[in-house]
Amino acid sequence: YFESLGVAHDNIVFSDYTSATLYRDGSTRASIDPCFPSKLGIPHVHNLVFVKHAKKPLDAILFPMLDDMPTDLVATRGCRVCPTITATASAVRAAFARDGDTFVEKGIRFLSPFLNLAQPALLERQIHDQLKELLGLTREENARAVRAGYAELAQFRREIKKRAAVVLGRLETEG
């Protein structure tokens, strides 16, 4: 999506890989949630705010709340994301606003749009509404970027299926 809009790779900053240190450093705002993936949201955003932002100022952190995902399963009504995972962005936002708004203090926009990847037309509207001002997006640019994002997702899924077939074949062969 971002690549097709011409956003330079060095303008997209990811948090560091999950590690015991990353978790420990960011867990001071800890979530009491028993879900490990959800607990990681706060430490990863902490890493962006207090490590990455210190090296190169960030304009925004994008932490979407994903609801319905594309699926290859047939005869299903949807492929819903766990509600705890979907709501993690809200928990993260609250954790950083507990003792004053850290994002406002640091000059970082925290964007957590609710996105439905299973319905491309809906996603197109949702993401445009959230990013049009930040990126100066027209509807046409956004539509093209969404199509490019879905094309890349389709390619990724094809690659994963190929890898899975190799692993399953090996497992069968090895018993």
Side-chain angles (χ1 to χ4, degrees), residues 38 63-68 80-91 112-115:
S38 181
F63 197 138
M65 294 185 287
L66 303 177
D67 176 39
D68 199 4
R80 292 302 216 242
V81 175
C82 165
T84 300
I85 297 300
T86 298
T88 296
S90 292
S112 58
F114 191 82
L115 302 178

Side-chain angles (χ1 to χ4, degrees), residues 25-32 42 46 49-50 91-92 95-100 102:
D25 291 349
S27 65
T28 58
R29 303 168 192 271
S31 165
I32 59 169
I42 292 171
H46 181 273
V49 171
F50 293 101
V92 167
F96 283 87
R98 184 178 64 201
D99 299 320
T102 303

Side-chain angles (χ1 to χ4, degrees), residues 29-81:
R29 303 168 192 271
S31 165
I32 59 169
D33 197 293
C35 171
F36 185 68
S38 181
K39 283 180 186 271
L40 291 176
I42 292 171
H44 278 278
V45 171
H46 181 273
N47 179 260
L48 287 169
V49 171
F50 293 101
V51 176
K52 302 296 182 161
H53 183 66
K55 293 177 183 174
K56 179 181 178 182
L58 304 176
D59 295 316
I61 293 175
L62 178 61
F63 197 138
M65 294 185 287
L66 303 177
D67 176 39
D68 199 4
M69 303 291 287
T71 181
D72 292 329
L73 299 174
V74 294
T76 61
R77 294 189 55 105
C79 186
R80 292 302 216 242
V81 175

Side-chain angles (χ1 to χ4, degrees), residues 124-132 137-139 142:
E124 189 177 310
R125 285 194 315 271
Q126 291 169 323
I127 204 162
H128 182 259
D129 288 348
Q130 188 69 51
L131 298 179
K132 65 184 173 187
L137 282 178
T138 66
R139 289 196 183 280
N142 182 66

